[in-house]
Amino acid sequence: MLLGRTANGIYWMNRYIERAENMARLIDAGMRMALTRTSSSADEWTSVILSAGVEATFRERHDDFSAETVTDFLLRDTSNPSSVMSAIETARNNGRMVRTALTRETWESINEAWMSLKRMLGSPVDQRDVPAVLDAIKRETALIRGAFHGTMLRNEIFDFSQIGTFVERADNTARILDVKYYVLLPSISWVGSTLDNYQWESILRSVSAHRSYRWVYEADYRPANIADYLILNNRMPRSLAYCYRNIAESLAYLADDYGELHACHKTAGETMAKLEVGNVKTIFDAGLHEFLSCFIRDNYRLGDEVAQNYRFH
């Protein structure tokens, strides 16, 4: 059986790789949202910080929520454990700790991403260069993912990596959706307007779902359809349903390997059941913000339970 130390390294390595990419996606969403504002963009950048869950740390270092301060904090600031630089550093440290559990291709892709991003983020990024930097971050993390999926044995190492990746990804998708619905919409009178539709389209672009959404819904940008796609569509790689299908599958493999079920299995099953409501109207009727807040809380609990149940912290 896998040692707790190795499981810990694999799990957190993949969570932090996913987190680095997610921070880039949050910044991308904030930039797109700010472009739609006719007044101050501070609300958009405040919502990005809230979505990232780092408001307290940010306020300790900055007084204003501007594009410059927020992007630098989320990209480069090592006092922020969720910044891209901190995340890729932590991912590499965990990968080095479990080096013998990784293929050569996987380790080299992690190390090369760390070196590339360290050079890129070694000094403040000009706002004109931010889009290119975000694309580079997403490309480097995609290369790691490709090396991992193309070379790793599908054993318990792979299962812990999948759980770490999809717990982190589900959290990000839920937070981006919640920010749009609860924080960014300026007024109820804007619902259904050109601005509202552009903001929803920006959400799709921030999770690389713009083109695939058009294949399914033929470019009909309706909030209910977009929420359905990002919450309930189990073929969309960043949807909540897709994430939890993969989490449940990996937990089932671990249950077979270890011959026992834990609290995390129950939590994953309960969350899966909530994602099988079948109709997004049910979610909207109960309140999208309430649904997403509950999901984020349950997803956070699942992450803790996996660590506790398999004895790593």
Side-chain angles (χ1 to χ4, degrees):
M1 292 297 177
L2 198 65
L3 292 174
R5 179 174 177 273
T6 304
N8 173 72
I10 293 293
Y11 175 80
W12 285 108
M13 181 190 83
N14 282 275
R15 283 202 68 164
Y16 276 101
I17 290 168
E18 185 69 23
R19 188 171 300 181
E21 180 179 353
N22 290 343
M23 286 302 110
R25 292 181 180 280
L26 277 175
I27 296 169
D28 185 39
M31 292 179 67
R32 292 181 184 277
M33 293 299 181
L35 289 173
T36 68
R37 282 296 214 205
T38 57
S39 57
S40 170
S41 63
D43 288 346
E44 279 73 16
W45 292 112
T46 301
S47 73
V48 168
I49 290 293
L50 290 171
S51 179
V54 292
E55 181 187 10
T57 308
F58 180 86
R59 288 186 182 277
E60 289 174 0
R61 299 179 64 81
H62 301 284
D63 296 323
D64 66 310
F65 291 83
S66 65
E68 291 77 13
T69 57
V70 171
T71 54
D72 189 77
F73 184 73
L74 294 182
L75 286 176
R76 303 178 56 252
D77 197 329
T78 53
S79 70
N80 170 18
S82 291
S83 72
V84 171
M85 199 62 250
S86 294
I88 203 69
E89 181 88 36
T90 304
R92 179 179 180 268
N93 288 341
N94 277 284
R96 185 170 55 185
M97 181 178 71
V98 296
R99 173 68 184 85
T100 56
L102 302 174
T103 59
R104 177 178 59 82
E105 292 85 353
T106 299
W107 167 247
E108 288 180 353
S109 65
I110 295 170
N111 203 44
E112 287 169 7
W114 172 75
M115 290 188 292
S116 174
L117 294 180
K118 194 168 185 179
R119 286 193 301 270
M120 194 178 304
L121 301 176
S123 56
V125 179
D126 189 291
Q127 286 299 298
R128 294 169 297 182
D129 298 329
V130 170
V133 169
L134 299 181
D135 286 342
I137 293 166
K138 287 182 274 189
R139 183 170 58 251
E140 291 292 347
T141 53
L143 288 171
I144 297 172
R145 191 177 304 115
F148 191 90
H149 279 260
T151 63
M152 291 292 294
L153 180 67
R154 267 48 174 176
N155 58 4
E156 55 189 335
I157 291 174
F158 187 82
D159 295 329
F160 279 113
S161 76
Q162 290 290 91
I163 294 168
T165 294
F166 287 109
V167 165
E168 194 70 32
R169 183 177 298 181
D171 179 78
N172 181 68
T173 297
R175 287 177 183 275
I176 285 181
L177 261 176
D178 196 36
V179 164
K180 163 62 185 79
Y181 188 79
Y182 193 68
V183 180
L184 292 182
L185 195 62
S187 167
I188 192 66
S189 63
W190 295 56
V191 175
S193 67
T194 301
L195 173 59
D196 183 46
N197 290 339
Y198 182 78
Q199 287 184 334
W200 280 107
E201 181 183 348
S202 296
I203 290 297
L204 289 173
R205 290 184 183 278
S206 72
V207 294
S208 297
H210 178 251
R211 181 164 295 182
S212 62
Y213 175 86
R214 295 176 66 182
W215 293 337
V216 177
Y217 292 102
E218 299 179 352
D220 188 6
Y221 297 115
R222 295 184 180 181
N225 288 347
I226 294 172
D228 177 77
Y229 193 54
L230 297 184
I231 294 173
L232 301 178
N233 190 305
N234 60 18
R235 293 189 175 186
M236 194 272 150
R238 303 193 75 86
S239 76
L240 306 188
Y242 183 91
C243 290
Y244 263 77
R245 187 180 71 183
N246 281 271
I247 290 170
E249 182 179 79
S250 295
L251 284 171
Y253 285 135
L254 289 176
D256 289 342
D257 287 340
Y258 288 86
E260 56 186 354
L261 296 172
H262 296 290
C264 59
H265 293 86
K266 181 181 178 182
T267 299
E270 291 172 348
T271 306
M272 278 280 289
K274 294 175 184 176
L275 294 170
E276 292 171 352
V277 294
N279 191 330
V280 76
K281 184 178 183 298
T282 305
I283 294 174
F284 270 91
D285 288 345
L288 180 59
H289 172 65
E290 289 73 19
F291 176 87
L292 292 171
S293 296
C294 182
F295 176 88
I296 291 168
R297 184 174 61 251
D298 290 345
N299 188 61
Y300 184 86
R301 186 173 82 245
L302 175 68
D304 278 351
E305 287 175 350
V306 170
Q308 293 166 6
N309 297 158
Y310 288 96
R311 296 180 175 82
F312 59 85
H313 302 281

